[in-house]
């Protein structure tokens, strides 16, 4: 018995839409079947939801039959409870395959693929998505000798780029959670408060959710480095106190049923020095210019180039891309790993695409972040999911 | 300038100890150098701490020079701030390598390895640890044609099995956080409370920490399925209310500076049925027998077999292993992926080894968990890190 429809996040029509897109992409690449180990892609296609991606698992997409869920035996009950397919499409492997030096789960998968699709010769695998390891690849290749393994990295991810109305509704819910979390930060942060104490409150806001919408876990933990540590974008917290005279950026996202809307803001405790004020002003100008450029028919690089002009005028050169698509995600990343907002990416922007427009400034000994999650509209500039003042917040 | 000693979690002597162990293991395998992409292994060897493992990064271990940190340019500041090595050992790659279809970070790594160790012919890589993808392997192999890539999966993990006194001190601190989180659950859970509301409190307790010890993020989010959903060990939460007449297990861990001490307990709201009472009694007996068997000189399988006897007497057959080593970890797993407590694993237990002794029962339509994180002592049975009643908690 498949998961009860009222338990599934999306309509069956929505899952059919996704499957059709993926099958068309498989067809274009001449794939007989596709093995998907990326947990975000698994969930997007089947509804599967569980923290079991630390062992090998995946879904198998076939041209002419429902997907198969494949994973560890003890997770089969979770698959039955969360996937839309019938129970007979859940095909687990026995526990002794887990983290063994004598056998590998991909031996089991190879035998299963041979059983369900004996004629499959071109088998797509996600060579550079998460969790499909080098050993998994070699073992599957050795087991399924009659087939060729074809690199299908990001094949599913690309189908996720344009969001459906059902997905956008989830992101709007996530946005309310993001706003609540940022409001909570601005209200609570003060000199002397321990960082971990504030993170505890951030988690409280994010998990409690907003209104009737419960909060899911974001794919990245809150990041909130201060002062010179803000030069490093990915430091997490410790028990140190916030200090007067320092900027802290807060990189966080609300998450509604695995859909993320990141929203980052910076707080300065005290009186900001001129160089940070100038950077803030240039960043705000750059964000505005980027939103203007983020129109359907324009290219990803147009956003990056629009951002760069006011920054360069202020003498700031950013080395990094300034954004990426967001939506459904599992750890370790809330990005979709397809389009990058950077000068070399000429992907055409389409209505329904969603990006975290993320021009963080990480300089030698300071850093600030002011970001927006944006939606490419039917026409005109991009819309932001959140509605919060786009500036550095100063607490004197 | 390396990280200030007072910022490093451990003494330089402790990092030297770890490096010596790894170099000896490399020598035994005839490796000229070792590339480590597993973030837990990276942190254990160098102190590196940041949420940047969603892009390719790693540390390079050489026989006769300090390790190199290699990763994305924007994370170099984080490496300089958290690693014990000098700044000249931090060697980043430019941002356009990130998630590009035209170039791969492993091309950059290959060139770097050739520069720093031109004579290296046998290069160890972690073929089945997290984050070293199939594509990463093939690209490094194509780039570094003069070397052979040797599977060094879990080489570092095995050196982590016996904990030092410095590490055990961190785990004892984590244990106080775990106890606090479990106490909070038992105090708060009641029929009608929304699951996500309780998870918000759990995160509050875990991140606030215990006493002066701030809480770090656990590598797995809290898991708390109820009733028939408890048949599935890895379901996360939603906004549904706890119900009278259901068992819920709480799988969670306190974490102190990346060191975990998982502690799971089950709560029954109402009057437990006989089959759950009988399972609880058998499980408590099995845990006691397992602790008795967990002596230095005994084998990993002795714990599993001791647990199995009272369970089998009660008609319960578990398909899964009943434990794994724990300590320092990053998502997606808090296990160390070396030893498994199961009948086929004959690893000799040594003083200082630490395990999550985890005999969860996930049956057809119910489940319970009562677990302990244990330390193999100098002699006698294992000690538990936490001191909380080892039973199912009933709230009538």
């Amino acid at each position: 018995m498949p998961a009860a429809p009222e338990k599934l996040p999306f309509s069956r029509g929505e899952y059919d839409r996704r499957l059709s897109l993926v099958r068309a992409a498989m067809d274009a690449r001449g794939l007989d079947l596709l093995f998907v180990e990326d947990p975000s892609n698994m969930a997007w296609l089947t509804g599967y939801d569980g923290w079991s991606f630390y062992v090998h698992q995946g879904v198998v997409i076939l041209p002419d039959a429902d997907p198969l869920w494949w994973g560890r035996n003890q997770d089969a009950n979770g698959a039955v409870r969360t996937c839309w397919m019938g129970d007979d499409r859940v095909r687990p492997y026995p526990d002794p395959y887990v983290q063994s030096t004598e056998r590998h789960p991909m031996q089991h998968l190879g035998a299963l693929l041979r059983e369900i699709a004996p004629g499959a010769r071109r088998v797509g695998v996600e060579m550079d998505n998460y969790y499909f390891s080098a050993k998994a690849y070699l073992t599957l290749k050795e087991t399924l000798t009659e087939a060729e393994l074809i690199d299908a990295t990001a094949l599913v991810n690309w189908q996720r780029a344009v969001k459906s109305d059902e997905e956008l509704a989830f992101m709007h819910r996530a946005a309310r959670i993001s706003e609540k979390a940022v409001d909570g930060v601005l209200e609570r942060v003060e000199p002397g408060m321990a960082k971990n104490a504030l993170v505890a409150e951030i988690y409280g806001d994010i998990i409690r959710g907003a209104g009737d919408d419960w909060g899911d876990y974001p794919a990245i933990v809150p990041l909130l480095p201060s002062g010179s540590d803000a030069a490093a974008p990915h430091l997490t917290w410790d028990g140190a106190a916030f200090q007067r005279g320092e900027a802290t950026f807060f990189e966080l996202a609300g998450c509604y049923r695995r859909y993320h809307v990141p929203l980052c803001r910076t707080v300065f405790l005290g009186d900001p020095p001129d160089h940070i004020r100038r950077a803030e002003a240039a960043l705000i100008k750059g964000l505005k210019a980027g939103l203007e450029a983020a129109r359907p028919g324009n290219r990803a690089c147009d956003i990056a180039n629009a951002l760069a002009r006011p920054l360069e005028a202020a003498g700031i050169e950013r080395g990094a891309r300034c954004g990426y698509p967001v939506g459904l995600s599992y750890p370790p990343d809330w990005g979709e790993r397809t389009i990058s907002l950077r000068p070399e990416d000429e992907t055409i922007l389409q209505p329904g695409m969603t990006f975290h427009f993320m021009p963080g400034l990480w300089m030698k000994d300071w850093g600030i972040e002011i970001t927006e999650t944006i939606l490419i509209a039917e026409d005109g500039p991009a819309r932001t999911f959140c509605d919060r003042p786009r500036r550095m917040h100063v607490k004197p």
Side-chain angles (χ1 to χ4, degrees), chain A residues 1-3 8 10-12 15-16 19 23 42-48 65-67 79-87 89:
Chain A
M1 181 176 73
L8 282 172
F10 296 104
S11 69
R12 270 303 298 277
Y15 289 110
D16 289 344
L19 201 52
R23 282 176 174 154
M42 290 174 67
W44 188 75
L45 282 163
T46 69
Y48 182 65
D66 283 352
V80 164
R81 277 169 171 72
T82 59
C83 294
W84 58 262
M85 302 87 73
D87 291 5
R89 308 306 285 170

Side-chain angles (χ1 to χ4, degrees), chain A residues 157-236:
Chain A
N157 306 54
W158 276 102
Q159 313 316 314
R160 291 161 46 197
V162 174
K163 306 297 181 287
S164 70
D165 289 344
E166 289 191 41
E167 292 182 290
L168 291 175
F170 275 30
M171 291 183 70
H172 286 296
R173 291 171 171 209
R176 301 294 81 74
I177 302 176
S178 311
E179 290 171 342
K180 187 178 146 188
V182 165
D183 292 346
V185 164
L186 300 181
E187 192 182 304
R188 292 179 184 116
V189 62
E190 58 179 23
M193 183 179 205
K195 290 203 159 186
N196 66 307
L198 183 54
V199 174
E201 302 293 341
I202 295 171
Y203 265 112
D205 284 339
I206 285 176
I207 305 297
R208 277 187 201 95
D212 289 338
D213 295 331
W214 57 277
D216 210 341
Y217 61 91
I220 302 180
V221 298
L223 305 171
L224 56 161
S226 298
S228 66
D229 280 347
H234 294 120
L235 294 183
T236 52

Side-chain angles (χ1 to χ4, degrees), chain A residues 81-315:
Chain A
R81 277 169 171 72
T82 59
C83 294
W84 58 262
M85 302 87 73
D87 291 5
D88 61 329
R89 308 306 285 170
V90 172
R91 296 291 297 263
Y93 59 83
D95 208 72
Y97 281 96
V98 174
Q99 297 167 11
S100 164
T101 51
E102 296 168 38
R103 58 195 84 81
H104 196 282
M106 288 296 151
Q107 295 168 329
H108 185 276
L109 179 68
L112 176 66
L113 296 184
R114 184 172 291 135
E115 174 204 323
I116 57 160
R121 290 296 170 266
R122 289 176 56 86
V123 171
V125 291
E126 298 175 301
M127 297 292 285
D128 211 11
N129 280 27
Y130 299 115
Y131 304 121
F132 186 67
S133 68
K135 177 83 173 178
Y137 166 73
L138 290 183
T139 308
L140 185 60
K141 195 173 141 105
E142 275 165 27
T143 308
L144 204 64
T145 44
E146 67 273 31
E148 187 187 355
L149 301 186
I150 311 281
D151 186 359
T153 301
L155 182 148
V156 178
N157 306 54
W158 276 102
Q159 313 316 314
R160 291 161 46 197
V162 174
K163 306 297 181 287
S164 70
D165 289 344
E166 289 191 41
E167 292 182 290
L168 291 175
F170 275 30
M171 291 183 70
H172 286 296
R173 291 171 171 209
R176 301 294 81 74
I177 302 176
S178 311
E179 290 171 342
K180 187 178 146 188
V182 165
D183 292 346
V185 164
L186 300 181
E187 192 182 304
R188 292 179 184 116
V189 62
E190 58 179 23
M193 183 179 205
K195 290 203 159 186
N196 66 307
L198 183 54
V199 174
E201 302 293 341
I202 295 171
Y203 265 112
D205 284 339
I206 285 176
I207 305 297
R208 277 187 201 95
D212 289 338
D213 295 331
W214 57 277
D216 210 341
Y217 61 91
I220 302 180
V221 298
L223 305 171
L224 56 161
S226 298
S228 66
D229 280 347
H234 294 120
L235 294 183
T236 52
W237 62 86
D238 58 17
F242 290 100
Q243 303 286 336
R244 209 175 296 276
E246 286 188 343
T248 304
F249 65 75
F250 294 86
E251 183 165 341
L252 46 85
C255 182
Y256 180 72
R257 301 191 81 169
R258 311 294 338 122
Y259 280 76
H260 295 71
V261 171
L263 178 66
C264 313
R265 288 292 181 267
T266 298
V267 178
F268 199 98
L269 298 174
D271 192 20
D274 282 351
H275 66 281
I276 291 187
R277 277 294 195 201
R278 280 197 302 271
E280 179 206 7
L283 197 50
I284 293 169
K285 249 192 227 175
L287 281 159
K288 189 160 184 297
L291 283 166
E292 282 292 330
R295 293 164 186 263
N298 280 3
R299 301 160 305 166
C301 57
D302 294 327
I303 305 177
N305 294 335
L307 168 79
R309 280 186 285 271
L311 289 180
E312 279 164 17

Side-chain angles (χ1 to χ4, degrees), chain A residues 8-35:
Chain A
L8 282 172
F10 296 104
S11 69
R12 270 303 298 277
E14 170 69 8
Y15 289 110
D16 289 344
R17 178 187 77 83
R18 298 173 181 184
L19 201 52
S20 298
L21 286 171
V22 168
R23 282 176 174 154
M26 287 168 60
D27 197 44
R29 301 277 294 276
L31 298 180
D32 299 319
L33 67 79
L34 174 67
F35 173 67

